[in-house]
Amino acid sequence: MKVLVASAWPYVNYVPHLGTMIGSILSADVFARYARLKYGKDNVVFVSGSDEHGTPIEIEAIKRKTNPKSLTDQAHEYDKHLFLDVWEISFNNYSRTESETHKSFVMDFFKKLEKYMITREEDIPYCEYDKLYLPDRFVRGTCPYCGYEDATGDQCENCGRLLTPSMLINPRCAICGRKPIFKKTKHWFFDLTSFSDKVKEWLEKSETMPNNVKSVALSWISEGLKPRSLTRDNSWGIPAPFEGAENKTIYVWFEALLGYISATKEYFINKGEPEKWKEFWFGKDVISYYFIGKDNIPFHAIILPAMLMATNENYVLPTVISATEYLLFDKLKFSKSKKIGVWIDEAPYIVDIEYWRFALVRMRPEEKDTSFTWKEFVRIVNTELNDDIGNYINRVLTMVNRYFNGEIPGYREEIYKDEDRQLIKLITESPKKSSELYDRGKLKAATDPLLELARFANGYLNTRAPWDLIKNNRDEAANVLYITANSIRTIAIMLYPLMPRHAQQIYDLLNLGNIEDEKWDNAGEFILKPGHKIKSEIKPLFKKLDPDFEKNVEEKLEKIREELTKTRPPLLK
Ligand SMILES: [Zn+2]
Ligand SMILES: [Zn+2]
């Protein structure tokens, strides 16, 4: 079995916020870490990269009198550092759309699709001063409906009506303020219409595709798929490889989707195995997982499969598209200008990044939009992480040291009580339950069995009270600590996808090796045998957030943000 894990490519002109993180990259990482234990390290490839082309960045470069590449070079490095070094994202390859492998792959790919291209003439606003075709949002003018003077060419922000640039009264270029002219220009459209039936059939037949993705995609299809405009008249992008399309580039959305393939290819080229990427894209036993926000469903469930089908090369189509609903911030949309939210370079200054990882997965909006609140964050860290998991581990291991000299005690099955058997059953079953949910792309739900196990085990420990048993029933105390110590190993493996560093710390306390060499399917087994020695010094794994945390955090955040604004690269300020 080969497993491809793909996370939506973040557009490189902003620092991702918590919502972007749980909507794509962090979710994909949690799944990839699970999948490596489940299916074997070498069978999993996890890719993403910076999406860096397109007019917004080209225009930013014009405004700053520099070139787009120098802006995205810095922004790419900044984001990449945050993902790899700060957020512990375990990409096999975090690439970028400026990579040579990507650019040549994209041109070859679309050359093969030329027979599915339709050309049409369009009237596009053009600024003669900036020598630039202006995308809709870069034309401003007066709204024909309400008279609002600063409407953009796609929508009036005052009355909410949808517009086109030619509808604006007194249109002006958003860069220089001059009046644009309208120029006829030829564009290439991908004939999505002819793939309607094939994509529909594929979606309806799929037994793995989550329902929310199916229903959004099928309703798009039932409304009728139109040819999608594939080319743009800007220069910051990948040249369109069609005859007569000189000076045109491929629309960023189409080329970024192909990044999943080119990044896999690049990964294996860099490893010196240039053909091996094909095992992940044409193999018979490949499963592929895409982690995206719900607004990206049509691109991944319709356009990507249609493009792959159009090659006639038997590309593997998505197995599971795990599309999250929106994460809101205290019921509001994240907004940089309104200072609503937390950005991923700010987060590590608030608490250990693994607390964020844990809390965000526990809040993952799988069924409906979910609001991030500091109150809920505190509850998850203090109660779920610290009390349910951390204290339990601490209590058990301290008692193994105190009562049994740091050795896993021997056990006597003939005196097992019902509660003992219940906990053993839960230890065996929890990783399986969790695994089934991970395989369906339900990550938050997949962590519920971990919390259920920890809570049950805590209650069990209180009822069985080994600190009393030890006084006159040493064999039963031994049974309790034998079972609970083994449950800690299970908990560590189940915690690993969320908190890899802390999971390894638990493994270190248990005096076990590298947790990344474990197999998920063995997580419920009793590997700690009587006589196995654990670490003698047991320190608490987690810390509660202090009582004033909620009161002070926004102020603290404000200061951090002020500092970071000075050091962020120009494109990300
Ligand atoms: Zn209006
Ligand atoms: Zn202009």
Side-chain angles (χ1 to χ4, degrees):
M1 179 84 82
K2 301 281 181 219
V3 188
L4 179 86
V5 185
S7 147
W9 287 42
Y11 200 52
V12 77
N13 73 343
Y14 65 91
V15 178
H17 55 64
L18 300 181
T20 326
M21 213 51 194
I22 192 59
S24 54
I25 295 151
L26 176 58
S27 289
D29 184 60
V30 168
F31 181 81
R33 288 178 180 276
Y34 152 78
R36 291 190 187 104
L37 300 189
K38 174 80 182 177
Y39 300 103
K41 244 181 263 188
D42 295 337
N43 295 323
V44 176
V45 168
F46 170 25
V47 293
S48 187
S50 294
D51 178 2
E52 53 189 321
H53 294 137
T55 321
I57 289 173
E58 190 171 343
I59 288 173
E60 200 54 40
I62 294 172
K63 282 185 190 161
R64 293 173 184 274
K65 300 188 169 49
T66 178
N67 63 66
K69 178 84 167 36
S70 75
L71 288 178
T72 61
D73 278 349
Q74 295 172 56
H76 169 71
E77 285 307 321
Y78 189 80
D79 280 356
K80 186 176 173 182
H81 161 72
L82 287 171
F83 296 146
L84 270 60
D85 305 325
V86 180
W87 280 79
E88 305 168 32
I89 305 298
S90 63
F91 294 118
N92 290 90
N93 188 16
Y94 188 76
S95 188
R96 56 190 293 188
T97 53
E98 263 296 285
S99 116
E100 291 305 322
T101 307
H102 176 72
K103 288 195 270 189
S104 65
F105 181 84
V106 167
M107 286 198 277
D108 289 349
F109 189 96
F110 281 111
K111 192 74 200 154
K112 289 181 218 160
L113 263 55
E114 196 157 8
K115 61 174 178 273
Y116 294 110
M117 293 299 156
I118 298 165
T119 57
R120 270 189 209 158
E121 294 236 305
E122 284 193 311
D123 255 336
I124 308 275
Y126 178 82
C127 175
E128 291 177 299
Y129 177 79
D130 291 312
K131 296 190 174 46
L132 193 73
Y133 283 94
L134 300 169
D136 295 353
R137 280 185 301 124
F138 285 90
V139 189
R140 290 179 176 270
T142 302
C143 171
Y145 298 104
C146 73
Y148 178 64
E149 286 178 1
D150 205 23
T152 56
D154 55 351
Q155 196 170 22
C156 171
E157 143 183 323
N158 188 49
C159 70
R161 287 188 177 82
L162 295 179
L163 305 171
T164 62
S166 61
M167 291 165 77
L168 292 171
I169 301 160
N170 297 326
R172 58 184 197 276
C173 164
I175 310 166
C176 69
R178 291 173 173 83
K179 186 178 177 165
I181 58 165
F182 282 82
K183 271 174 95 166
K184 273 215 182 318
T185 165
K186 188 164 138 184
H187 276 291
W188 276 250
F189 288 69
F190 174 52
D191 180 15
L192 202 54
T193 320
S194 43
F195 293 92
S196 257
D197 292 343
K198 274 178 99 173
V199 174
K200 186 174 178 224
E201 196 194 332
W202 162 72
L203 275 169
E204 282 171 342
K205 269 195 186 156
S206 169
E207 287 166 7
T208 50
M209 196 58 71
N211 286 333
N212 64 334
V213 172
K214 270 193 190 179
S215 72
V216 170
L218 288 171
S219 93
W220 264 58
I221 294 172
S222 72
E223 282 164 24
L225 298 179
K226 294 188 185 72
R228 298 287 292 201
S229 157
L230 180 80
T231 52
R232 289 291 183 272
D233 280 307
N234 66 338
S235 57
W236 177 234
I238 301 179
F242 314 121
E243 217 173 298
E246 294 75 24
N247 301 324
K248 292 183 196 294
T249 56
I250 296 164
Y251 182 36
V252 282
W253 254 112
F254 283 91
E255 54 127 323
L257 284 173
L258 297 181
Y260 302 129
I261 313 171
S262 69
T264 314
K265 189 175 176 181
E266 185 180 62
Y267 170 64
F268 285 109
I269 290 174
N270 292 342
K271 280 186 79 178
E273 301 170 292
E275 294 300 310
K276 207 163 173 195
W277 67 277
K278 293 178 182 163
E279 291 178 16
F280 287 80
W281 282 97
F282 302 105
K284 288 239 173 325
D285 58 346
V286 180
I287 46 177
S288 59
Y289 284 76
Y290 295 75
F291 292 88
I292 63 169
K294 67 177 166 189
D295 48 334
N296 287 341
I297 290 174
F299 280 98
H300 288 81
I302 298 173
I303 295 176
L304 177 65
M307 290 200 299
L308 297 177
M309 286 170 182
T311 62
N312 256 324
E313 290 178 355
N314 286 318
Y315 270 99
V316 172
L317 303 178
T319 312
V320 170
I321 298 172
S322 181
T324 49
E325 303 294 311
Y326 292 131
L327 182 75
L328 304 171
F329 192 84
D330 233 343
K331 300 195 183 115
L332 299 169
K333 266 188 160 173
F334 280 77
S335 160
K336 197 166 146 182
S337 56
K338 293 177 193 150
K339 298 184 180 172
I340 299 168
V342 181
W343 277 260
I344 68 165
D345 52 353
E346 300 164 356
Y349 297 98
I350 305 285
V351 287
D352 185 323
I353 215 70
E354 288 205 343
Y355 289 28
W356 284 105
R357 291 179 54 113
F358 183 87
L360 286 170
V361 175
R362 295 294 296 153
M363 291 179 195
R364 187 172 189 256
E366 285 178 357
E367 309 294 337
K368 55 181 192 311
D369 292 352
T370 306
S371 209
F372 175 99
T373 60
W374 290 115
K375 194 174 173 188
E376 177 64 357
F377 183 74
V378 171
R379 187 195 69 79
I380 290 172
V381 170
N382 287 358
T383 308
E384 296 194 343
L385 190 58
N386 191 76
D387 293 348
D388 296 344
I389 298 176
N391 281 355
Y392 172 67
I393 294 172
N394 197 52
R395 285 160 82 200
V396 170
L397 299 186
T398 304
M399 283 190 277
V400 171
N401 269 308
R402 188 174 301 155
Y403 305 144
F404 293 95
N405 198 27
E407 281 178 14
I408 303 297
Y411 59 97
R412 287 179 52 201
E413 270 177 59
E414 66 275 17
I415 57 165
Y416 273 178
K417 296 261 188 277
D418 278 352
E419 297 101 300
D420 299 339
R421 289 195 197 89
Q422 278 170 10
L423 180 55
I424 292 169
K425 189 163 175 256
L426 202 59
I427 294 168
T428 318
E429 285 173 356
S430 299
K432 288 180 199 154
K433 250 202 239 165
S434 174
S435 179
E436 281 159 19
L437 291 156
Y438 270 120
D439 287 343
R440 288 166 47 206
K442 301 272 180 206
L443 311 189
K444 191 266 167 194
T447 60
D448 287 340
L450 163 65
L451 268 299
E452 283 158 20
L453 172 60
R455 281 181 202 132
F456 184 89
N458 260 310
Y460 165 87
L461 201 61
N462 293 340
T463 321
R464 295 289 272 136
W467 48 90
D468 283 337
L469 290 173
I470 195 73
K471 292 174 200 153
N472 37 35
N473 200 341
R474 195 174 168 82
D475 281 357
E476 275 197 35
N479 276 354
V480 171
L481 290 174
Y482 168 72
I483 298 166
T484 49
N486 271 288
S487 79
I488 291 172
R489 176 180 163 276
T490 307
I491 288 172
I493 296 175
M494 294 178 76
L495 187 63
Y496 166 78
L498 290 79
M499 306 182 85
R501 194 166 16 91
H502 283 89
Q504 182 61 52
Q505 282 170 17
I506 302 172
Y507 250 53
D508 293 343
L509 292 177
L510 292 172
N511 200 18
L512 292 169
N514 185 348
I515 197 165
E516 295 184 352
D517 295 333
E518 284 293 356
K519 292 195 170 47
W520 190 274
D521 289 343
N522 297 340
E525 284 175 22
F526 281 48
I527 300 289
L528 295 170
K529 299 296 177 207
H532 175 90
K533 197 120 175 90
I534 63 161
K535 283 274 151 61
S536 54
E537 210 181 315
I538 307 297
K539 282 192 208 128
L541 285 158
F542 309 111
K543 266 209 309 259
K544 280 198 183 195
L545 300 171
D546 65 57
D548 290 335
F549 177 86
E550 228 184 300
K551 205 172 74 202
N552 299 333
V553 65
E554 285 289 345
E555 197 183 317
K556 194 173 166 192
L557 204 53
E558 189 67 29
K559 282 192 192 124
I560 295 162
R561 195 164 291 165
E562 216 168 275
E563 278 307 303
L564 282 172
T565 314
K566 294 176 199 155
T567 53
R568 280 176 185 153
L571 199 53
L572 306 176
K573 278 200 196 299

